[in-house]
């Protein structure tokens, strides 16, 4: 079982990072769906996928859409986080050149279409990306 606690009756949101080549699996190899079901059963009020490639987050949203709790995601803009070692910093990672604000918004709109209710951005996703997403969502009504 995954430990989840509520400090002073505060809501608990749990975020998982998924394998960039397989958004159905955590980076450690376990099933995202199984992990998400367990934390939902323990009381998590929202389940997120973060710090993963936008394409992997899209796949992960399909997994989370089967749950009975709200879900969402926020992707990073790195080519890969594989070079990241414990204790190192993201300044060693290379940024994607194909993930401008419009491209990021296109990915995130898919998450919204899959039922995600909390969408944002992680490393290398900045205010311009979020503004483009907000504009796209506003246009959808």
């Amino acid at each position: 079982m995954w430990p989840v606690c509520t400090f002073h009756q505060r809501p608990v949101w749990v975020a998982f990072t998924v394998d960039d080549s397989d958004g159905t699996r955590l980076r450690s190899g376990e099933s995202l769906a199984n992990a998400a079901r367990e934390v939902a059963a323990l009381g998590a009020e929202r389940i997120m996928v973060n710090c993963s490639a936008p394409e992997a987050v899209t796949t992960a949203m399909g997994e989370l859409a089967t749950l009975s709790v709200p879900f969402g995601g926020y992707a990073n803009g790195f080519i890969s986080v594989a070079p990241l070692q414990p204790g190192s910093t993201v300044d060693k990672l290379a940024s994607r050149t194909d993930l401008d604000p419009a491209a990021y918004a296109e990915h995130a709109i898919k998450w919204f279409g899959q039922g995600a209710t909390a969408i944002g951005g992680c490393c290398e996703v900045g205010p311009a990306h979020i503004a483009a997403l907000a504009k796209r969502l506003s246009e959808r009504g």
Side-chain angles (χ1 to χ4, degrees), residues 22-110:
D22 181 359
T24 69
R25 298 219 140 311
L26 304 181
R27 291 191 189 277
S28 52
E30 296 89 356
S31 160
L32 169 63
N34 289 345
R37 275 193 296 276
E38 288 204 28
V39 297
L42 291 169
E45 294 185 17
R46 185 174 307 261
I47 300 174
M48 308 289 289
V49 169
N50 75 315
C51 202
S52 303
E55 298 83 359
V57 173
T58 301
T59 300
M61 293 300 101
E63 298 288 298
L64 298 182
T66 65
L67 302 173
S68 60
V69 298
F71 64 93
Y74 42 111
N76 68 39
F78 294 124
I79 293 171
S80 173
V81 297
L84 196 60
Q85 297 298 313
S88 64
T89 60
V90 296
D91 61 340
K92 308 283 190 250
L93 303 179
S95 300
R96 289 174 62 162
T97 58
D98 64 335
L99 201 60
D100 64 9
Y104 189 81
E106 190 64 32
H107 286 288
I109 286 293
K110 292 176 190 171

Side-chain angles (χ1 to χ4, degrees), residues 54 75-77 95-108 119-137:
N76 68 39
S95 300
R96 289 174 62 162
T97 58
D98 64 335
L99 201 60
D100 64 9
Y104 189 81
E106 190 64 32
H107 286 288
I119 298 172
C122 198
C123 297
E124 300 302 304
V125 174
H129 295 85
I130 301 307
L133 172 57
K135 183 176 187 281
R136 289 286 305 275
L137 288 171

